[in-house]
Amino acid sequence: MKWQGRRGSRNIEDRRRAGGAAQVGGLGLLAVLAIGYFLGVDVTPFLQGGGTLSGSGGGEITEADRQEGEFVSVTLADTEEVWDDLFRSQVGQPYNPVTLVLYKGVTQSPCGGASGATGPFYCPGDRKVYLDTAFFTTLSRQLGAKGDFAAAYVVAHEVAHHVQNELGILGQANSIRAQVSEAEANAISVRIELQADCYSGIWAREAQARFGTLERGDIAEAMNAARQIGDDTLQRNSGRVPMPHTFTHGTSEQRQNWFVRGFESGDMRSCDTFSADRL
């Protein structure tokens, strides 16, 4: 992926020099557990002592931190241009860009405390994406999803949740999830996540057309990332038998298929997972 020397976003909130422990309770605790499961990471060491996320936090910004911050900033800027154009051409309304919070170690959000163990996530409470760039190391080394474009896909996926929020989809879906059984709520969650994968595919298509940033093998990196974070693969890699009724993000095959659907069509209407008979 060609990203060096390109324009970055102004919608970055850099908290990487701030540190300390974050208290997690209620819905925040559930969010941490859910995100930890999504990444296949055991978050229980971070939830000792009444739900405290412990960690060093803050500290010196290394050269690696600086480069990762620039990478995220450029990727976010690309999503802003792409979605601004798509909202005007396909939705008929302006796009309000998301703010991305960079942190190191731990930080707070309206969705609860965040730590490197929780991975990146979108919080509807303040309409921000939270990302500890150390996650990119986890993505590459622990989850087996290597490459710049695999990391860009993760950023684009979280931005896609903001797109869903802007369209009113996320709020409606979460409202229904709160009223149904756990299995039904999980099924709705899968459709939310697969739609975000589809939107990520649209972003990848438009980023290539607009900026020419994709290089040979980039789409394969994104496809591999989608495969590695499928529910069935995560459960299998953790030594468990995959249990479809517990899936919250979709199988590896589903995640890949919906990314490809978005990439090939470029049409947001093709990402309507909620009307699809088969995922």
Side-chain angles (χ1 to χ4, degrees), residues 258-272:
W258 281 97
F259 177 88
V260 169
R261 180 179 297 207
F263 184 80
E264 291 182 344
S265 73
D267 188 341
M268 295 173 68
R269 292 172 299 182
S270 71
C271 297
D272 185 4

Side-chain angles (χ1 to χ4, degrees), residues 90-267:
Q90 296 190 22
V91 182
Q93 68 184 52
Y95 171 67
N96 298 308
V98 69
T99 295
L100 191 147
V101 177
L102 285 176
Y103 68 95
K104 191 175 182 180
V106 294
T107 194
Q108 290 277 14
S109 85
C111 294
S115 85
T118 64
F121 64 94
Y122 176 70
C123 181
D126 60 1
R127 307 171 88 87
K128 295 179 180 180
V129 169
Y130 287 79
L131 171 67
D132 182 340
T133 53
F135 167 74
F136 294 145
T137 300
T138 300
L139 184 69
S140 175
R141 295 180 183 177
Q142 296 182 25
L143 298 180
K146 300 179 180 180
D148 287 344
F149 203 73
Y153 156 71
V154 171
V155 174
H157 178 93
E158 298 308 327
V159 172
H161 285 312
H162 177 67
V163 170
Q164 291 173 311
N165 206 25
E166 286 291 291
L167 296 172
I169 296 171
L170 192 60
Q172 292 177 20
N174 283 333
S175 178
I176 296 172
R177 290 182 68 245
Q179 304 174 45
V180 298
S181 68
E182 181 179 358
E184 291 172 317
N186 288 344
I188 295 172
S189 179
V190 167
R191 292 178 186 269
I192 292 172
E193 297 299 332
L194 294 180
Q195 184 177 62
D197 284 328
C198 188
Y199 285 164
S200 300
I202 292 178
W203 167 78
R205 173 192 177 100
E206 294 301 315
Q208 172 61 10
R210 182 181 292 266
F211 313 116
T213 53
L214 271 65
E215 300 177 295
R216 183 185 298 273
D218 278 350
I219 295 300
E221 289 179 4
M223 292 287 283
N224 178 55
R227 180 172 65 86
Q228 297 296 346
I229 56 180
D231 284 318
D232 54 337
T233 298
L234 287 176
Q235 290 188 1
R236 196 174 291 112
N237 288 344
S238 67
R240 290 178 288 173
V241 176
M243 298 179 290
H245 70 282
T246 68
F247 290 174
T248 57
H249 286 71
T251 67
S252 295
E253 182 180 9
Q254 288 171 334
R255 301 200 70 169
Q256 290 178 318
N257 287 345
W258 281 97
F259 177 88
V260 169
R261 180 179 297 207
F263 184 80
E264 291 182 344
S265 73
D267 188 341

Side-chain angles (χ1 to χ4, degrees), residues 28-46:
L29 176 59
L30 296 177
V32 170
L33 293 173
I35 298 165
Y37 164 70
F38 157 58
L39 296 174
V41 175
D42 180 11
V43 300
T44 51
F46 297 86

